[in-house]
Amino acid sequence: MLNVRHRQRRIPATRLSLALGIALIGTAPAFAQDSAATSTTDERTTELSRVQVTGSNIRRSDVETSSPVQVIRKQDIENMGARTLLQVLDNLPAARPAQQDSRSLFTGSDGASQANLRGLGAQGTLVLLNGRRLSYYGAPAGFQTQFVNIDAIPAAAIERMEVLTDGASAVYGTDAVAGVINVITKRDYRGAEVSITTDKSSRIDSYGEHQASLTAGFGDLDADRYNVYASVNLYRRDAIPLSDYYDKRPSQYYVNNPNYLNNLRLGVGSRPGEFNPGTYFAFDPVTGARRQEAAPGCNTAITEASGTRCVWETWMNREIDSGAETKRNTAYISSRFLIGDSTEAFAEATYTDIDLRANAGTPNAYGTTTGNPSSWFSRNTGTTVNQFRTPFLGPNNVYNNASPELKALMGGVVGLNYLLQDVGDSHFGQRNTDQSYRVLAGLRGDIGDWNWETAFATAGTHSVTYQTINVNLDGFERAFGPYSIDPGTGRVIISDNPAYQFGVINEANAALIREAFPTFDIQSWTRLHTLDGRIEGPLFQLPAGEMRAAFGFNASRETFYTPGNEDAANGLITQQGGSWFDGKRNTYALFAETVAPITGKLELDAALRVDKYPNFSANLAPKIGLKYQVLPQLLLRGTYSEGFRAPSLAEAGTGGVFAQLGGFEDDIRCDETNAIANLLRRSARSGDVELGNSLLNTDCSRTVARMTQPNQDLKPEKAKISTLGLVYEPASWLSVSADYWFIYRRNEIAAPDYSKPEDIQSMTRNPISDSDRANVEAVAAMCADPASGVVCPGTLPGYSVGNVSSVVGQYKNQGRTLVDGFDIDARSRFSLGDFGSLNIGVGATIARRKEYYIDDTSRWYYGNTIGYYGNPRLRATLNADWTYREVTTSVFVNYVGTTKWAYDQVDAEDNNPDTCTASRLPVNPAQCGGVPSWWTANLSVGWRPDDHWTLGVTVKNLFNRLPFYDPQGFLGDSSDYASIYGRSYSLQLGYRF
């Protein structure tokens, strides 16, 4: 972190020192600006301060180190149109898409955003605030990966971000494998300023992003011997309901999901708030065929192959997928006080309150389950899979008004589909809250030529997920029970006269539905207490200059507690087992670092850190770096380090994950169901086609019960990391940096990959269901009818097995990952005389390899995945900033290169240009060759008429480029890096008092 000493030294300005100072610009990303570019360079002396740069504990007059460090200033963030730290990282070539809070629902780490350097995940990227750690977010991603929620960092107080793009475990300890992101706040502040920003979309009317911040401070550290300032930031993001997005997906989405729009029943079904009597159904005991009829009093009946159905409109207020409403309030206080001549006391406090809400839309339906039951694991039921089917109506049920013909099929028993809209349109959904804090106090000072610093910090988070979407078994039975069992078939039958009254909408029903579908909470807490200290200064004078060293320690206490919801733990909440963790540990570290000028042109950096965690031996992390000033215009640099990541308390503690797994692909069922669906879709009979459309791909991605067990025998991940690069300034107006980077991570801690049979310890399947048999009968009936026009095969498609209901696995040390590539940054500065100045920059990351070693049997089975889905070879940015008088105009272009649709060479056997598929789903025929390259451009204009006012206008996605269809994307589109908002407009207004 940049940490300027209060007392400055005067260092002569030489060609070498000036060249190195300018060369630092080359290490910044292409969009970084250097306000010092206009300083006079022919002065014989320059006032320089010793500074501490991210990745080192040693203060130096030359801020260029052997490690590449990229710097992004607050103005750069505004120029790129970013409003959050996540958006900043999305525009950094070295970063990869990561979890974003508004699209994190039902992931386990709901409501939080992550950083992801080099594509190695949040667990390989260390995030710091002013050079020190923050507490992990309360809920681990996927119930495994503990990470810092970057949304909790105080945005209004940010001075700049420093991104170290090589490993730094020798300096910072665990997690710093892919790199370090150090968010640095203002060192001090006097006066007051207020800023307001609002963003609106031209395509998504409901979208809006709004911020207001106030920063105020007083006291001059030199004159008054103190400075105190505070910053408050208020952030709001509007929810995006389904009504604003349902018809804006890429066209191929609707081709692949032909019933999507029809199933909304807009203008066809009953309107919200209107009574809908529902649909009765039964199965022919001989053929297995489904028969259905709209209940008496239905005014919105449609005719299908199985009979009539009473339909309702899907309520369009669903926000779970498209975007949740977010309220984020952050406060930051910083204070510094001089004590005597050489000691400074400092303290800072950060508090963030986050509230994210998403409406689940259409109220839940009472839908008698004839297919696969809901399956889930829970803590207190162990390895027993909990299952639930919505019951049938018995022959004597007061609400069984089916026709005698329908009743006769199953001895009077019928199923019912009925909309439970008694509680209105806002009961179902999800809410996430998170309160996080960090309080830090410390002292720093000088003892002769040595400086020292020590601090104690306490940090923590309290995260709560509130969900209202799943059945509570006891509450459901209070509304519809007591149950009975049909002795012949084993079907569950509701009470003949249940408490819930079908056919009316009233408050008594609403109270019962709130019990049947209650709001339950999942709470989690993390805590981190740290005490650290270091001393730094000159060791002795070498012939080439001063050798400096730093020594220090760190002691921490880490806790993580997730008690789990009691009803979920007992298996009473369907599809929600949740997680349960209770862990704590003490860790200790010692470190040493030195910088030694070997010759006048060659400098050595070396660091060593020892970390002691429970359950495994002390970890030794070394780092060595060299920089060599070949010519005044050319600097060479390189590093080698060994990194590590300790198992998190979620991975190696006590407890585990008792929940569900979404997106499970069962090749057997996927192929069998699609064979049935595709045959039905060829029929000339409309009912067959509709059934085929509704079945297509339904078994290619299922939600199943999963149990992932922690492993207290886990060992830390290890990594070997190296960089080799140069900084070259051939002319005063141009600087270029190029760095090769290499990371070899081994002994990786991995959750089971349930797509791989070897990771599944056990698996269970449901039996073939009534619905399965009805689908098979529908194909047989179609093939028996010449009017269908279908020539059927001799052996009709059918089912050999039921769908998977559960899988069990365990965290383990498995595999290795190798990644390498190049970072290139070039920037130029031009004086335009009377027309101001122009800065132009280009930054790029060129990935070379990303390979995964499974085990000694499969080895590098999947090959190099660079150029495959999610791993583009090239990511780049281009910026141009023109300043003319009081106006600065900026253009920022972000580019992502093309990839194949397949994930790897094995997946390419099924998904390639010939099949024109991704995840075995058809892609746009114009894009069979692979994921197209993507670029967007932002244009911003800032006006500063005087020292008080600032006005900025930004047009994001200037050319209104829209996402293409991506079957592997969150919304079926490429919105991981292509904005769904189309062209959007931002207005910023600021005033400084």
Side-chain angles (χ1 to χ4, degrees):
M1 96 185 163
L2 192 63
N3 191 352
V4 182
R5 293 182 66 185
H6 176 59
R7 293 182 295 178
Q8 298 179 329
R9 300 186 180 190
R10 299 181 64 85
I11 299 177
T14 65
R15 288 185 178 182
L16 175 60
S17 64
L18 292 173
L20 292 177
I22 296 172
L24 176 63
I25 303 168
T27 70
F31 43 80
Q33 299 184 58
D34 187 358
S35 60
T38 58
S39 63
T40 303
T41 59
D42 57 359
E43 297 179 6
R44 299 311 301 166
T45 60
T46 302
E47 193 78 20
L48 293 178
S49 304
R50 284 197 174 273
V51 297
Q52 184 181 324
V53 180
T54 297
S56 174
N57 286 299
I58 295 181
R59 299 177 181 181
R60 57 195 78 203
S61 57
D62 165 15
V63 294
E64 180 68 71
T65 70
S66 56
S67 297
V69 180
Q70 301 178 345
V71 181
I72 307 103
R73 298 187 310 154
K74 185 174 183 178
Q75 185 61 49
D76 307 322
I77 296 172
E78 294 177 2
N79 289 347
M80 69 177 67
R83 298 290 173 251
T84 64
L85 291 183
L86 178 67
Q87 293 173 5
V88 175
L89 295 175
D90 284 344
N91 290 316
L92 187 68
R96 290 293 183 268
Q99 176 177 297
Q100 50 185 295
D101 64 324
S102 63
R103 296 184 177 181
S104 63
L105 305 184
F106 303 106
T107 64
S109 56
D110 311 74
S113 300
Q114 302 173 348
N116 177 18
L117 292 176
R118 305 298 188 205
L120 294 181
Q123 68 270 38
T125 303
L126 178 61
V127 178
L128 306 173
L129 177 62
N130 292 327
R132 287 184 168 90
R133 289 178 178 265
L134 297 159
S135 185
Y136 290 129
Y137 186 62
F143 302 101
Q144 175 196 5
T145 302
Q146 293 196 275
F147 65 95
V148 171
N149 179 15
I150 59 176
D151 294 328
I153 294 176
I158 293 176
E159 180 72 19
R160 70 188 181 280
M161 293 170 57
E162 293 182 357
V163 181
L164 177 73
T165 53
D166 73 349
S169 290
V171 178
Y172 298 114
T174 183
D175 301 341
V177 173
V180 178
I181 298 170
N182 188 13
V183 179
I184 300 171
T185 59
K186 296 177 175 67
R187 181 169 174 264
D188 53 33
Y189 186 86
R190 294 187 302 277
E193 63 180 302
V194 62
S195 176
I196 300 174
T197 304
T198 185
D199 291 33
K200 295 296 290 184
S201 165
S202 64
R203 183 174 185 247
I204 306 295
D205 294 336
S206 56
Y207 168 75
E209 212 170 349
H210 321 283
Q211 288 194 84
S213 64
L214 171 66
T215 303
F218 56 91
D220 184 294
L221 195 63
D222 290 325
D224 303 321
R225 300 179 64 80
Y226 73 90
N227 177 260
V228 178
Y229 81 90
S231 181
V232 176
N233 188 81
L234 308 179
Y235 173 87
R236 301 291 184 268
R237 182 178 53 231
D238 301 330
I240 301 175
L242 181 63
S243 59
D244 204 4
Y245 191 71
Y246 77 98
D247 59 348
K248 296 184 175 71
R249 297 172 186 257
S251 58
Q252 185 65 31
Y253 177 86
Y254 304 105
V255 174
N256 283 12
N257 298 272
N259 271 13
Y260 176 79
L261 293 176
N262 290 337
N263 285 341
L264 298 178
R265 303 300 177 190
L266 301 180
V268 176
S270 59
R271 306 279 300 182
E274 297 175 356
F275 170 67
N276 187 301
T279 303
Y280 297 112
F281 63 89
F283 295 93
D284 188 307
V286 177
T287 66
R290 177 186 170 109
R291 300 289 181 256
Q292 64 187 32
E293 60 185 37
C298 176
N299 298 317
T300 58
I302 65 171
T303 300
E304 300 177 327
S306 301
T308 59
R309 180 156 65 98
C310 196
V311 296
W312 52 76
E313 287 190 3
T314 293
W315 289 9
M316 304 295 283
N317 60 341
R318 179 180 173 90
E319 300 161 355
I320 291 288
D321 294 335
S322 303
E325 176 190 16
T326 301
K327 297 179 180 179
R328 191 182 305 152
N329 306 317
T330 305
Y332 175 77
I333 302 174
S334 173
S335 60
R336 301 170 64 208
F337 301 88
L338 291 181
I339 303 173
D341 294 332
S342 62
T343 303
E344 175 185 308
F346 59 94
E348 64 181 51
T350 303
Y351 178 79
T352 300
D353 183 277
I354 298 174
D355 192 336
L356 181 145
R357 300 168 185 254
N359 195 323
T362 303
N364 281 26
Y366 183 101
T368 301
T369 310
T370 62
N372 301 296
S374 300
S375 301
W376 70 100
F377 285 110
S378 60
R379 184 183 77 199
N380 295 343
T381 59
T383 58
T384 301
V385 178
N386 306 295
Q387 294 190 326
F388 170 74
R389 285 182 171 91
T390 308
F392 287 79
L393 276 63
N396 300 317
N397 189 287
V398 295
Y399 301 110
N400 186 346
N401 297 314
S403 67
E405 294 78 14
L406 193 69
K407 286 185 177 181
L409 291 175
M410 300 195 311
V413 174
V414 297
L416 174 66
N417 288 330
Y418 179 88
L419 185 63
L420 303 169
Q421 53 181 317
D422 305 88
V423 292
D425 63 354
S426 58
H427 177 66
F428 295 94
Q430 180 167 329
R431 179 188 179 196
N432 291 90
T433 64
D434 179 64
Q435 289 81 41
S436 60
Y437 68 89
R438 189 181 76 170
V439 178
L440 179 147
L443 296 169
R444 64 171 67 101
D446 297 326
I447 301 177
D449 290 333
W450 287 73
N451 61 82
W452 57 271
E453 181 174 321
T454 185
F456 174 79
T458 180
T461 68
H462 177 206
S463 305
V464 187
T465 295
Y466 302 92
Q467 289 184 349
T468 312
I469 196 166
N470 297 332
V471 165
N472 179 289
L473 298 182
D474 288 346
F476 200 86
E477 187 163 5
R478 281 193 291 272
F480 301 103
Y483 305 147
S484 60
I485 304 296
D486 185 302
T489 63
R491 294 188 180 102
V492 178
I493 311 296
I494 69 169
S495 170
D496 287 342
N497 192 6
Y500 183 86
Q501 299 171 312
F502 292 95
V504 297
I505 300 175
N506 59 31
E507 179 53 35
N509 276 351
L512 290 168
I513 295 304
R514 283 191 286 269
E515 288 189 72
F517 297 88
T519 298
F520 66 96
D521 66 289
I522 304 171
Q523 301 195 52
S524 55
W525 290 263
T526 66
R527 296 288 182 269
L528 178 65
H529 308 299
T530 60
L531 175 66
D532 63 65
R534 66 171 179 262
I535 185 169
E536 183 271 340
L539 284 180
F540 44 80
Q541 192 73 21
L542 295 175
E546 187 179 66
M547 181 178 180
R548 300 183 69 87
F551 306 93
F553 73 92
N554 181 280
S556 66
R557 170 72 169 178
E558 180 185 356
T559 63
F560 174 40
Y561 178 52
T562 302
N565 179 274
E566 183 177 356
D567 282 350
N570 290 325
L572 296 179
I573 304 292
T574 64
Q575 301 166 278
Q576 184 61 59
S579 59
W580 169 62
F581 297 109
D582 187 3
K584 55 185 70 70
R585 64 187 178 193
N586 297 330
T587 64
Y588 308 94
L590 297 173
F591 60 84
E593 185 181 357
T594 185
V595 174
I598 307 302
T599 69
K601 294 184 177 182
L602 180 64
E603 182 179 273
L604 169 70
D605 291 354
L608 187 66
R609 180 181 175 110
V610 179
D611 286 89
K612 182 65 182 77
Y613 282 75
N615 301 329
F616 54 87
S617 302
N619 184 82
L620 186 67
K623 182 172 185 177
I624 188 168
L626 292 168
K627 69 174 185 178
Y628 181 55
Q629 192 74 42
V630 182
L631 299 169
Q633 301 85 8
L634 178 62
L635 173 71
L636 302 181
R637 62 188 179 192
T639 63
Y640 170 82
S641 62
E642 295 184 5
F644 81 104
R645 182 178 80 86
S648 71
L649 291 174
E651 296 162 331
T654 58
V657 180
F658 308 86
Q660 286 192 303
L661 173 70
F664 181 82
E665 182 175 345
D666 177 1
D667 290 343
I668 297 174
R669 284 287 302 204
C670 179
D671 291 342
E672 291 178 347
T673 297
N674 280 356
I676 293 172
N678 287 323
L679 197 57
L680 289 167
R681 295 175 74 204
R682 292 162 50 190
S683 176
R685 308 187 315 177
S686 62
D688 295 332
V689 174
E690 183 162 357
L691 176 59
N693 287 340
S694 65
L695 290 176
L696 189 67
N697 300 319
T698 55
D699 283 343
C700 296
S701 179
R702 282 280 182 181
T703 298
V704 303
R706 68 152 168 167
M707 181 187 298
T708 304
Q709 302 166 335
N711 184 350
Q712 297 186 6
D713 294 327
L714 288 175
K715 302 303 179 185
E717 297 178 351
K718 298 293 185 72
K720 297 181 184 296
I721 307 147
S722 61
T723 65
L724 181 64
L726 59 87
V727 180
Y728 181 51
E729 186 182 347
S732 61
W733 52 268
L734 175 66
S735 62
V736 179
S737 71
D739 292 278
Y740 168 76
W741 47 269
F742 172 93
I743 302 172
Y744 179 59
R745 185 172 64 181
R746 64 194 187 279
N747 210 33
E748 292 183 3
I749 301 169
D753 182 348
Y754 292 106
S755 68
K756 297 181 173 62
E758 60 268 24
D759 279 13
I760 299 176
Q761 295 179 338
S762 63
M763 180 175 70
T764 61
R765 286 184 180 272
N766 294 311
I768 294 174
S769 68
D770 289 336
S771 293
D772 293 339
R773 286 186 284 270
N775 296 337
V776 173
E777 191 281 333
V779 170
M782 178 197 71
C783 291
D785 184 358
S788 69
V790 179
V791 178
C792 295
T795 302
L796 297 182
Y799 290 107
S800 61
V801 293
N803 272 306
V804 172
S805 63
S806 71
V807 290
V808 176
Q810 185 182 44
Y811 295 118
K812 56 185 175 181
N813 289 110
Q814 174 183 294
R816 315 168 199 169
T817 297
L818 184 154
V819 295
D820 69 344
F822 300 89
D823 288 335
I824 299 174
D825 292 298
R827 84 174 271 105
S828 57
R829 303 170 302 280
F830 303 95
S831 174
L832 304 181
D834 294 338
F835 294 96
S837 61
L838 175 66
N839 292 342
I840 299 176
V842 176
T845 292
I846 305 169
R848 181 170 174 262
R849 287 178 295 177
K850 185 174 185 180
E851 301 179 8
Y852 180 63
Y853 186 98
I854 302 173
D855 52 42
D856 291 339
T857 300
S858 299
R859 300 180 64 81
W860 305 95
Y861 179 68
Y862 295 100
N864 183 10
T865 59
I866 294 299
Y868 288 90
Y869 184 83
N871 293 296
R873 188 169 300 279
L874 175 64
R875 290 179 63 97
T877 59
L878 166 69
N879 81 292
D881 307 317
W882 173 39
T883 300
Y884 176 65
R885 296 183 179 177
E886 298 87 11
V887 178
T888 297
T889 303
S890 299
V891 176
F892 184 89
V893 179
N894 196 344
Y895 174 85
V896 180
T898 185
T899 69
K900 299 179 187 305
W901 285 112
Y903 282 97
D904 48 55
Q905 64 184 14
V906 177
D907 190 35
E909 296 175 5
D910 295 319
N911 301 286
N912 52 61
D914 292 334
T915 63
C916 199
T917 60
S919 289
R920 307 179 74 178
L921 298 175
V923 298
N924 188 325
Q927 296 166 350
C928 294
V931 180
S933 60
W934 189 257
W935 61 270
T936 54
N938 296 344
L939 172 67
S940 65
V941 179
W943 179 43
R944 190 182 297 273
D946 54 38
D947 292 336
H948 300 286
W949 289 98
T950 57
L951 176 65
V953 177
T954 301
V955 182
K956 292 191 260 189
N957 193 3
L958 180 65
F959 298 98
N960 197 33
R961 308 198 71 227
L962 303 181
F964 51 85
Y965 175 68
D966 181 354
Q968 296 160 155
F970 184 82
L971 294 173
D973 60 29
S974 52
S975 54
D976 279 348
Y977 54 86
S979 171
I980 68 172
Y981 308 125
R983 184 183 295 114
S984 59
Y985 305 92
S986 173
L987 177 66
Q988 181 179 16
L989 181 66
Y991 184 81
R992 179 160 186 168
F993 297 91

